[in-house]
Amino acid sequence: AKGMAAAVANFTGGEAAVYREDGSRVYGLDAELELKSQSKRDRNWERKLLQWVEQVTGDKAVDPNDFGESLKTGVQLCKLINAVQPDIIKKIDLRPIQLVYLENINKYLKACYNIGIPSSSLFISSDLNMKRGIEQVVQNVYAVARLAQSRSDWKGPKFEDAVPKPNAVDLKPVKKWNQVNTNASPVYVEQLELQLEKPAVSTSTSNASSNASSNASSHATPSGSNATSPHAASNASKTSGNAASRHGDDVKKISDLEKEISDIRYRMDGISKENTSLKARETSLNSENQKLGRELKEISENLKKLQAKQVEKPAVQVEKPAVASSREKSLEIQLKEEEAKNKKLISQIQDLEK
């Protein structure tokens, strides 16, 4: 299996290994297209554009030499678009969670579309989050810079370097393509495996004697020896090592995402419980409020009755003779007590109303 991997690695890539920004290795035509895409990028121009973003947002870049790594959280992009169109993004989430990064990037892209950035200057979230299309992200930020500077009310810094300069790189093909031989028979993977597993008999033997067989066994070499040269084996080991490291990184990312999801679910459960307790508290407050309303109504009715009695009593006193008696004095005392009670009830009603 190792020899097979070495043969395939040597055939498809050789020494000219090409990797994307996300760390994945590409081969053949994909590798040539990746090299061509990288040659169109101007790293100095990207650094200046990133500096302009820092000036507008007021936040320092994580890595001034890595455009994608500095913007992958989406926070600076959201602040940038808010500087161009104030409050177009109401809330920016600052939590260090991958899912939150994607939400911030999607908010930014939606805001770009709403302020008039053309669809050809937009990108998809994986271009930035997974670093699979950084050149498209660069073109998008440049389009935002052009739109901002075209507005009459723009008071922010200006981005002077208007045109990027592609890298002056002499592009070489990943492998030298041989002329296609249309008469050649197809080679299948099963045949390569058989050649690597079974050593071939030497072609120099022509006799059927025991001496010839011993010479053949001493001089025979595996037909796949060229495919399993030390150079190819080293390339295979490097390839398998890179694949294993990338697999480990993917497993770690998946584990981190699962932890973040469990954390979010735990917090959602806590919020749900808190919401339930708040609803119970609201119900108890409503019942208490209704009880106080009933008490207030009773007090109001009692007050009206006492006021009616107070109005009737002076008329009765006028009709009586002017001679004071013990009964009149007792009535006056009761009236004063009732007046004191009325004052007390009035103060209680005022307190309840407050």
Side-chain angles (χ1 to χ4, degrees):
K2 292 182 179 179
M4 183 62 191
V8 173
N10 188 42
F11 179 76
T12 55
E15 294 181 349
V18 179
Y19 295 92
R20 288 198 178 105
E21 291 272 349
D22 61 348
S24 60
R25 184 177 178 180
V26 288
Y27 303 91
L29 184 59
D30 290 336
E32 290 185 8
L33 292 174
E34 179 64 23
L35 286 176
K36 187 176 181 180
S37 174
Q38 292 179 10
S39 68
K40 292 180 180 180
R41 296 177 60 182
D42 184 356
R43 302 288 180 169
N44 292 327
W45 186 81
E46 290 178 8
R47 279 193 287 270
K48 292 179 181 179
L49 183 61
L50 188 58
Q51 290 174 1
W52 177 80
V53 175
E54 289 180 353
Q55 293 173 3
V56 173
T57 60
D59 293 343
K60 289 292 183 182
V62 176
D63 187 355
N65 297 319
D66 194 336
F67 196 90
E69 186 67 23
S70 299
L71 301 179
K72 74 173 185 179
T73 63
V75 174
Q76 278 192 313
L77 292 177
C78 292
K79 291 183 178 179
L80 174 64
I81 206 69
N82 272 344
V84 177
Q85 184 72 32
D87 295 331
I88 192 169
I89 297 177
K90 302 296 183 182
K91 183 179 179 181
I92 303 174
D93 203 332
L94 304 178
R95 290 178 295 169
I97 302 173
Q98 288 290 335
L99 296 175
V100 172
Y101 296 166
L102 292 173
E103 289 179 1
N104 289 336
I105 294 171
N106 290 329
K107 288 179 185 177
Y108 165 77
L109 292 172
K110 185 177 179 180
C112 285
Y113 181 79
N114 290 334
I115 67 172
I117 299 295
S119 299
S120 58
S121 296
L122 298 177
F123 60 91
I124 59 177
S125 56
S126 61
D127 288 340
L128 178 56
N129 188 260
M130 303 297 292
K131 296 184 179 180
R132 291 180 178 175
I134 298 298
E135 65 277 359
Q136 191 66 22
V137 180
V138 173
Q139 292 302 319
N140 169 262
V141 176
Y142 178 46
V144 173
R146 290 201 312 269
L147 178 66
Q149 293 175 158
S150 66
R151 295 192 171 190
S152 58
D153 58 346
W154 176 252
K155 298 180 181 179
K158 292 185 177 181
F159 183 63
E160 302 294 341
D161 295 332
V163 180
K165 298 177 182 179
N167 295 327
V169 178
D170 183 16
L171 289 179
K172 295 180 181 180
V174 177
K175 64 171 286 183
K176 186 176 180 180
W177 301 100
N178 297 326
Q179 185 176 1
V180 177
N181 184 8
T182 57
N183 296 324
S185 60
V187 178
Y188 299 99
V189 175
E190 291 82 357
Q191 295 177 0
L192 290 174
E193 290 177 348
L194 290 173
Q195 290 177 4
L196 291 171
E197 290 176 358
K198 297 180 180 181
V201 181
S202 174
T203 58
S204 62
T205 178
S206 61
N207 298 324
S209 62
S210 60
N211 293 330
S213 62
S214 63
N215 290 332
S217 63
S218 61
H219 291 89
T221 57
S223 61
S225 60
N226 293 331
T228 57
S229 61
H231 179 69
S234 63
N235 287 335
S237 62
K238 291 179 181 178
T239 304
S240 60
N242 291 331
S245 63
R246 287 196 299 274
H247 178 70
D249 293 339
D250 292 339
V251 171
K252 185 178 179 183
K253 288 180 181 178
I254 292 171
S255 177
D256 293 340
L257 287 173
E258 288 177 350
K259 289 180 181 178
E260 291 170 3
I261 290 170
S262 63
D263 183 38
I264 291 171
R265 287 176 178 172
Y266 176 76
R267 281 183 284 177
M268 287 177 66
D269 292 338
I271 293 171
S272 177
K273 292 178 181 178
E274 186 176 357
N275 191 18
T276 304
S277 64
L278 287 173
K279 286 182 179 179
R281 176 64 176 165
E282 183 181 0
T283 304
S284 64
L285 288 174
N286 288 333
S287 62
E288 187 176 354
N289 190 16
Q290 291 175 0
K291 183 178 178 182
L292 289 174
R294 289 194 296 269
E295 291 179 358
L296 179 62
K297 187 176 179 180
E298 291 177 0
I299 292 171
S300 300
E301 292 176 354
N302 292 332
L303 178 62
K304 288 179 181 179
K305 292 178 181 179
L306 291 173
Q307 288 176 348
K309 288 181 180 179
Q310 188 176 3
V311 171
E312 292 172 358
K313 285 182 179 179
V316 174
Q317 289 177 358
V318 171
E319 294 176 357
K320 288 184 178 183
V323 180
S325 63
S326 60
R327 182 172 175 75
E328 290 177 349
K329 290 181 181 179
S330 63
L331 289 173
E332 288 178 359
I333 293 170
Q334 289 178 1
L335 182 61
K336 288 180 182 180
E337 290 177 354
E338 289 178 355
E339 288 178 354
K341 288 180 181 180
N342 291 340
K343 290 180 181 180
K344 187 176 180 181
L345 288 171
I346 291 170
S347 63
Q348 289 179 355
I349 291 169
Q350 290 176 352
D351 293 338
L352 289 172
E353 288 178 350
K354 289 180 181 180

mmCIF file of all heavy atoms in Angstrom, residues 1-15 17 19 25 27 196 226-246:
data_model
loop_
_atom_site.group_PDB
_atom_site.id
_atom_site.type_symbol
_atom_site.label_atom_id
_atom_site.label_comp_id
_atom_site.label_asym_id
_atom_site.label_seq_id
_atom_site.Cartn_x
_atom_site.Cartn_y
_atom_site.Cartn_z
ATOM 1 N N ALA A 1 0.833 -1.204 0.000
ATOM 2 C CA ALA A 1 0.000 0.000 0.000
ATOM 3 C C ALA A 1 0.866 1.252 0.000
ATOM 4 O O ALA A 1 0.572 2.236 -0.678
ATOM 5 C CB ALA A 1 -0.914 0.001 1.208
ATOM 6 N N LYS A 2 1.986 1.203 0.770
ATOM 7 C CA LYS A 2 2.886 2.355 0.794
ATOM 8 C C LYS A 2 3.529 2.569 -0.567
ATOM 9 O O LYS A 2 3.688 3.692 -1.038
ATOM 10 C CB LYS A 2 3.960 2.164 1.867
ATOM 11 C CG LYS A 2 3.421 2.208 3.288
ATOM 12 C CD LYS A 2 4.537 2.070 4.288
ATOM 13 C CE LYS A 2 4.000 2.143 5.713
ATOM 14 N NZ LYS A 2 5.087 1.987 6.712
ATOM 15 N N GLY A 3 3.935 1.469 -1.213
ATOM 16 C CA GLY A 3 4.525 1.597 -2.533
ATOM 17 C C GLY A 3 3.537 2.156 -3.534
ATOM 18 O O GLY A 3 3.888 2.979 -4.387
ATOM 19 N N MET A 4 2.273 1.746 -3.421
ATOM 20 C CA MET A 4 1.231 2.261 -4.306
ATOM 21 C C MET A 4 1.030 3.748 -4.090
ATOM 22 O O MET A 4 0.919 4.527 -5.050
ATOM 23 C CB MET A 4 -0.082 1.516 -4.022
ATOM 24 C CG MET A 4 -1.212 1.922 -4.935
ATOM 25 S SD MET A 4 -0.852 1.550 -6.635
ATOM 26 C CE MET A 4 -2.190 2.441 -7.428
ATOM 27 N N ALA A 5 0.998 4.166 -2.819
ATOM 28 C CA ALA A 5 0.844 5.594 -2.521
ATOM 29 C C ALA A 5 2.008 6.389 -3.075
ATOM 30 O O ALA A 5 1.839 7.491 -3.610
ATOM 31 C CB ALA A 5 0.726 5.795 -1.003
ATOM 32 N N ALA A 6 3.229 5.825 -2.956
ATOM 33 C CA ALA A 6 4.402 6.517 -3.485
ATOM 34 C C ALA A 6 4.316 6.659 -4.999
ATOM 35 O O ALA A 6 4.640 7.713 -5.565
ATOM 36 C CB ALA A 6 5.667 5.751 -3.097
ATOM 37 N N ALA A 7 3.871 5.590 -5.665
ATOM 38 C CA ALA A 7 3.770 5.646 -7.116
ATOM 39 C C ALA A 7 2.758 6.686 -7.560
ATOM 40 O O ALA A 7 3.003 7.485 -8.465
ATOM 41 C CB ALA A 7 3.381 4.274 -7.669
ATOM 42 N N VAL A 8 1.589 6.694 -6.893
ATOM 43 C CA VAL A 8 0.556 7.660 -7.262
ATOM 44 C C VAL A 8 1.005 9.082 -6.970
ATOM 45 O O VAL A 8 0.807 10.000 -7.759
ATOM 46 C CB VAL A 8 -0.757 7.328 -6.519
ATOM 47 C CG1 VAL A 8 -1.800 8.414 -6.761
ATOM 48 C CG2 VAL A 8 -1.292 5.988 -6.991
ATOM 49 N N ALA A 9 1.658 9.300 -5.795
ATOM 50 C CA ALA A 9 2.129 10.640 -5.444
ATOM 51 C C ALA A 9 3.174 11.123 -6.436
ATOM 52 O O ALA A 9 3.170 12.279 -6.862
ATOM 53 C CB ALA A 9 2.700 10.639 -4.023
ATOM 54 N N ASN A 10 4.093 10.239 -6.833
ATOM 55 C CA ASN A 10 5.137 10.624 -7.775
ATOM 56 C C ASN A 10 4.541 10.925 -9.148
ATOM 57 O O ASN A 10 4.982 11.827 -9.848
ATOM 58 C CB ASN A 10 6.178 9.503 -7.883
ATOM 59 C CG ASN A 10 7.375 9.931 -8.707
ATOM 60 O OD1 ASN A 10 7.841 11.055 -8.562
ATOM 61 N ND2 ASN A 10 7.863 9.056 -9.560
ATOM 62 N N PHE A 11 3.508 10.194 -9.504
ATOM 63 C CA PHE A 11 2.915 10.373 -10.823
ATOM 64 C C PHE A 11 2.093 11.664 -10.895
ATOM 65 O O PHE A 11 2.120 12.384 -11.875
ATOM 66 C CB PHE A 11 2.023 9.175 -11.158
ATOM 67 C CG PHE A 11 1.337 9.289 -12.497
ATOM 68 C CD1 PHE A 11 2.036 9.077 -13.674
ATOM 69 C CD2 PHE A 11 -0.004 9.635 -12.566
ATOM 70 C CE1 PHE A 11 1.405 9.200 -14.893
ATOM 71 C CE2 PHE A 11 -0.635 9.746 -13.783
ATOM 72 C CZ PHE A 11 0.077 9.527 -14.955
ATOM 73 N N THR A 12 1.368 11.985 -9.811
ATOM 74 C CA THR A 12 0.448 13.120 -9.859
ATOM 75 C C THR A 12 1.055 14.431 -9.401
ATOM 76 O O THR A 12 0.509 15.487 -9.681
ATOM 77 C CB THR A 12 -0.774 12.839 -8.964
ATOM 78 O OG1 THR A 12 -0.315 12.515 -7.656
ATOM 79 C CG2 THR A 12 -1.588 11.689 -9.516
ATOM 80 N N GLY A 13 2.146 14.424 -8.667
ATOM 81 C CA GLY A 13 2.668 15.687 -8.173
ATOM 82 C C GLY A 13 4.161 15.818 -8.274
ATOM 83 O O GLY A 13 4.685 16.824 -8.709
ATOM 84 N N GLY A 14 4.855 14.799 -7.850
ATOM 85 C CA GLY A 14 6.308 14.896 -7.831
ATOM 86 C C GLY A 14 6.768 15.897 -6.799
ATOM 87 O O GLY A 14 6.172 16.065 -5.743
ATOM 88 N N GLU A 15 7.844 16.617 -7.124
ATOM 89 C CA GLU A 15 8.405 17.574 -6.169
ATOM 90 C C GLU A 15 7.609 18.880 -6.134
ATOM 91 O O GLU A 15 7.674 19.627 -5.174
ATOM 92 C CB GLU A 15 9.862 17.865 -6.532
ATOM 93 C CG GLU A 15 10.776 16.659 -6.370
ATOM 94 C CD GLU A 15 12.208 17.001 -6.714
ATOM 95 O OE1 GLU A 15 12.424 18.097 -7.264
ATOM 96 O OE2 GLU A 15 13.086 16.197 -6.420
ATOM 97 N N ALA A 17 4.857 20.297 -5.279
ATOM 98 C CA ALA A 17 3.618 20.243 -4.507
ATOM 99 C C ALA A 17 3.043 21.650 -4.386
ATOM 100 O O ALA A 17 3.755 22.606 -4.100
ATOM 101 C CB ALA A 17 3.872 19.656 -3.127
ATOM 102 N N TYR A 19 -0.170 23.957 -2.650
ATOM 103 C CA TYR A 19 -1.183 23.957 -1.601
ATOM 104 C C TYR A 19 -2.017 25.231 -1.706
ATOM 105 O O TYR A 19 -1.508 26.299 -2.067
ATOM 106 C CB TYR A 19 -0.545 23.883 -0.211
ATOM 107 C CG TYR A 19 0.183 22.588 0.055
ATOM 108 C CD1 TYR A 19 1.541 22.469 -0.223
ATOM 109 C CD2 TYR A 19 -0.489 21.484 0.565
ATOM 110 C CE1 TYR A 19 2.206 21.276 0.005
ATOM 111 C CE2 TYR A 19 0.167 20.296 0.800
ATOM 112 C CZ TYR A 19 1.515 20.194 0.518
ATOM 113 O OH TYR A 19 2.166 19.016 0.741
ATOM 114 N N ARG A 25 -3.803 20.158 -0.554
ATOM 115 C CA ARG A 25 -2.903 20.026 -1.688
ATOM 116 C C ARG A 25 -3.703 19.771 -2.961
ATOM 117 O O ARG A 25 -4.716 19.069 -2.947
ATOM 118 C CB ARG A 25 -1.930 18.865 -1.450
ATOM 119 C CG ARG A 25 -0.891 18.719 -2.558
ATOM 120 C CD ARG A 25 0.095 17.619 -2.243
ATOM 121 N NE ARG A 25 1.054 17.453 -3.329
ATOM 122 C CZ ARG A 25 2.032 16.557 -3.323
ATOM 123 N NH1 ARG A 25 2.182 15.760 -2.281
ATOM 124 N NH2 ARG A 25 2.861 16.466 -4.341
ATOM 125 N N TYR A 27 -3.400 19.025 -7.389
ATOM 126 C CA TYR A 27 -2.547 18.356 -8.352
ATOM 127 C C TYR A 27 -2.948 18.762 -9.776
ATOM 128 O O TYR A 27 -4.055 19.238 -10.022
ATOM 129 C CB TYR A 27 -2.675 16.830 -8.221
ATOM 130 C CG TYR A 27 -2.351 16.297 -6.847
ATOM 131 C CD1 TYR A 27 -3.348 16.153 -5.893
ATOM 132 C CD2 TYR A 27 -1.054 15.947 -6.509
ATOM 133 C CE1 TYR A 27 -3.063 15.668 -4.635
ATOM 134 C CE2 TYR A 27 -0.759 15.455 -5.249
ATOM 135 C CZ TYR A 27 -1.761 15.317 -4.322
ATOM 136 O OH TYR A 27 -1.478 14.838 -3.076
ATOM 137 N N LEU A 196 3.598 -4.077 -8.011
ATOM 138 C CA LEU A 196 4.315 -3.707 -6.795
ATOM 139 C C LEU A 196 4.400 -4.873 -5.816
ATOM 140 O O LEU A 196 5.360 -4.981 -5.050
ATOM 141 C CB LEU A 196 3.619 -2.525 -6.126
ATOM 142 C CG LEU A 196 3.726 -1.198 -6.908
ATOM 143 C CD1 LEU A 196 2.820 -0.157 -6.274
ATOM 144 C CD2 LEU A 196 5.164 -0.710 -6.907
ATOM 145 N N ASN A 226 11.316 1.254 -10.284
ATOM 146 C CA ASN A 226 11.385 2.661 -10.656
ATOM 147 C C ASN A 226 10.321 3.476 -9.939
ATOM 148 O O ASN A 226 10.538 4.611 -9.576
ATOM 149 C CB ASN A 226 11.215 2.798 -12.178
ATOM 150 C CG ASN A 226 12.401 2.199 -12.939
ATOM 151 O OD1 ASN A 226 13.508 2.188 -12.408
ATOM 152 N ND2 ASN A 226 12.152 1.711 -14.144
ATOM 153 N N ALA A 227 9.150 2.824 -9.747
ATOM 154 C CA ALA A 227 8.049 3.557 -9.113
ATOM 155 C C ALA A 227 8.277 3.728 -7.621
ATOM 156 O O ALA A 227 7.749 4.637 -7.014
ATOM 157 C CB ALA A 227 6.721 2.848 -9.354
ATOM 158 N N THR A 228 9.092 2.776 -7.030
ATOM 159 C CA THR A 228 9.307 2.856 -5.574
ATOM 160 C C THR A 228 10.738 3.277 -5.261
ATOM 161 O O THR A 228 11.396 2.693 -4.418
ATOM 162 C CB THR A 228 9.004 1.493 -4.936
ATOM 163 O OG1 THR A 228 9.836 0.490 -5.556
ATOM 164 C CG2 THR A 228 7.552 1.114 -5.144
ATOM 165 N N SER A 229 11.239 4.248 -5.986
ATOM 166 C CA SER A 229 12.583 4.770 -5.724
ATOM 167 C C SER A 229 12.595 5.502 -4.381
ATOM 168 O O SER A 229 11.554 5.881 -3.864
ATOM 169 C CB SER A 229 12.985 5.730 -6.841
ATOM 170 O OG SER A 229 12.087 6.807 -6.885
ATOM 171 N N PRO A 230 13.794 5.726 -3.791
ATOM 172 C CA PRO A 230 13.855 6.455 -2.514
ATOM 173 C C PRO A 230 13.220 7.833 -2.607
ATOM 174 O O PRO A 230 12.595 8.307 -1.662
ATOM 175 C CB PRO A 230 15.361 6.515 -2.216
ATOM 176 C CG PRO A 230 15.951 5.371 -2.961
ATOM 177 C CD PRO A 230 15.117 5.203 -4.191
ATOM 178 N N HIS A 231 13.416 8.493 -3.766
ATOM 179 C CA HIS A 231 12.838 9.825 -3.928
ATOM 180 C C HIS A 231 11.310 9.768 -3.875
ATOM 181 O O HIS A 231 10.653 10.572 -3.198
ATOM 182 C CB HIS A 231 13.306 10.392 -5.270
ATOM 183 C CG HIS A 231 12.753 11.762 -5.547
ATOM 184 N ND1 HIS A 231 13.139 12.872 -4.835
ATOM 185 C CD2 HIS A 231 11.836 12.171 -6.451
ATOM 186 C CE1 HIS A 231 12.489 13.918 -5.292
ATOM 187 N NE2 HIS A 231 11.689 13.526 -6.283
ATOM 188 N N ALA A 232 10.742 8.749 -4.587
ATOM 189 C CA ALA A 232 9.288 8.605 -4.583
ATOM 190 C C ALA A 232 8.782 8.219 -3.195
ATOM 191 O O ALA A 232 7.722 8.671 -2.753
ATOM 192 C CB ALA A 232 8.865 7.547 -5.600
ATOM 193 N N ALA A 233 9.542 7.355 -2.505
ATOM 194 C CA ALA A 233 9.135 6.954 -1.154
ATOM 195 C C ALA A 233 9.117 8.144 -0.206
ATOM 196 O O ALA A 233 8.226 8.287 0.629
ATOM 197 C CB ALA A 233 10.068 5.855 -0.626
ATOM 198 N N SER A 234 10.123 9.034 -0.322
ATOM 199 C CA SER A 234 10.150 10.221 0.540
ATOM 200 C C SER A 234 8.965 11.130 0.240
ATOM 201 O O SER A 234 8.340 11.687 1.146
ATOM 202 C CB SER A 234 11.463 10.993 0.351
ATOM 203 O OG SER A 234 11.559 11.478 -0.976
ATOM 204 N N ASN A 235 8.659 11.272 -1.078
ATOM 205 C CA ASN A 235 7.488 12.079 -1.433
ATOM 206 C C ASN A 235 6.214 11.466 -0.867
ATOM 207 O O ASN A 235 5.313 12.165 -0.396
ATOM 208 C CB ASN A 235 7.363 12.184 -2.959
ATOM 209 C CG ASN A 235 8.418 13.111 -3.543
ATOM 210 O OD1 ASN A 235 8.902 13.990 -2.840
ATOM 211 N ND2 ASN A 235 8.772 12.907 -4.804
ATOM 212 N N ALA A 236 6.134 10.122 -0.927
ATOM 213 C CA ALA A 236 4.945 9.457 -0.398
ATOM 214 C C ALA A 236 4.823 9.662 1.104
ATOM 215 O O ALA A 236 3.729 9.885 1.628
ATOM 216 C CB ALA A 236 4.998 7.968 -0.720
ATOM 217 N N SER A 237 5.961 9.566 1.801
ATOM 218 C CA SER A 237 5.909 9.757 3.254
ATOM 219 C C SER A 237 5.494 11.179 3.600
ATOM 220 O O SER A 237 4.712 11.409 4.521
ATOM 221 C CB SER A 237 7.271 9.422 3.875
ATOM 222 O OG SER A 237 8.267 10.306 3.373
ATOM 223 N N LYS A 238 6.021 12.149 2.811
ATOM 224 C CA LYS A 238 5.620 13.540 3.053
ATOM 225 C C LYS A 238 4.124 13.716 2.801
ATOM 226 O O LYS A 238 3.425 14.377 3.554
ATOM 227 C CB LYS A 238 6.420 14.485 2.153
ATOM 228 C CG LYS A 238 7.890 14.590 2.510
ATOM 229 C CD LYS A 238 8.592 15.525 1.560
ATOM 230 C CE LYS A 238 10.088 15.630 1.873
ATOM 231 N NZ LYS A 238 10.799 16.503 0.917
ATOM 232 N N THR A 239 3.657 13.105 1.687
ATOM 233 C CA THR A 239 2.241 13.230 1.359
ATOM 234 C C THR A 239 1.365 12.629 2.440
ATOM 235 O O THR A 239 0.370 13.219 2.883
ATOM 236 C CB THR A 239 1.962 12.530 0.016
ATOM 237 O OG1 THR A 239 2.817 13.078 -0.986
ATOM 238 C CG2 THR A 239 0.496 12.749 -0.400
ATOM 239 N N SER A 240 1.724 11.399 2.874
ATOM 240 C CA SER A 240 0.932 10.753 3.925
ATOM 241 C C SER A 240 0.998 11.544 5.231
ATOM 242 O O SER A 240 0.013 11.648 5.959
ATOM 243 C CB SER A 240 1.431 9.322 4.147
ATOM 244 O OG SER A 240 2.806 9.328 4.542
ATOM 245 N N GLY A 241 2.183 12.135 5.522
ATOM 246 C CA GLY A 241 2.304 12.943 6.740
ATOM 247 C C GLY A 241 1.427 14.186 6.680
ATOM 248 O O GLY A 241 0.755 14.537 7.655
ATOM 249 N N ASN A 242 1.423 14.847 5.491
ATOM 250 C CA ASN A 242 0.567 16.027 5.339
ATOM 251 C C ASN A 242 -0.907 15.649 5.448
ATOM 252 O O ASN A 242 -1.700 16.361 6.069
ATOM 253 C CB ASN A 242 0.830 16.693 3.985
ATOM 254 C CG ASN A 242 2.211 17.333 3.929
ATOM 255 O OD1 ASN A 242 2.731 17.761 4.958
ATOM 256 N ND2 ASN A 242 2.799 17.410 2.747
ATOM 257 N N ALA A 243 -1.251 14.515 4.820
ATOM 258 C CA ALA A 243 -2.647 14.080 4.882
ATOM 259 C C ALA A 243 -3.055 13.764 6.324
ATOM 260 O O ALA A 243 -4.156 14.109 6.771
ATOM 261 C CB ALA A 243 -2.866 12.855 3.994
ATOM 262 N N ALA A 244 -2.144 13.103 7.054
ATOM 263 C CA ALA A 244 -2.461 12.771 8.452
ATOM 264 C C ALA A 244 -2.616 14.031 9.299
ATOM 265 O O ALA A 244 -3.517 14.122 10.136
ATOM 266 C CB ALA A 244 -1.366 11.874 9.033
ATOM 267 N N SER A 245 -1.723 15.025 9.073
ATOM 268 C CA SER A 245 -1.814 16.263 9.853
ATOM 269 C C SER A 245 -3.098 17.015 9.535
ATOM 270 O O SER A 245 -3.764 17.536 10.437
ATOM 271 C CB SER A 245 -0.595 17.151 9.572
ATOM 272 O OG SER A 245 -0.567 17.532 8.212
ATOM 273 N N ARG A 246 -3.449 17.036 8.228
ATOM 274 C CA ARG A 246 -4.693 17.719 7.865
ATOM 275 C C ARG A 246 -5.903 16.994 8.435
ATOM 276 O O ARG A 246 -6.873 17.612 8.862
ATOM 277 C CB ARG A 246 -4.815 17.828 6.343
ATOM 278 C CG ARG A 246 -3.862 18.847 5.724
ATOM 279 C CD ARG A 246 -4.307 19.188 4.306
ATOM 280 N NE ARG A 246 -4.301 18.024 3.427
ATOM 281 C CZ ARG A 246 -3.228 17.589 2.755
ATOM 282 N NH1 ARG A 246 -2.070 18.219 2.909
ATOM 283 N NH2 ARG A 246 -3.305 16.546 1.973
#
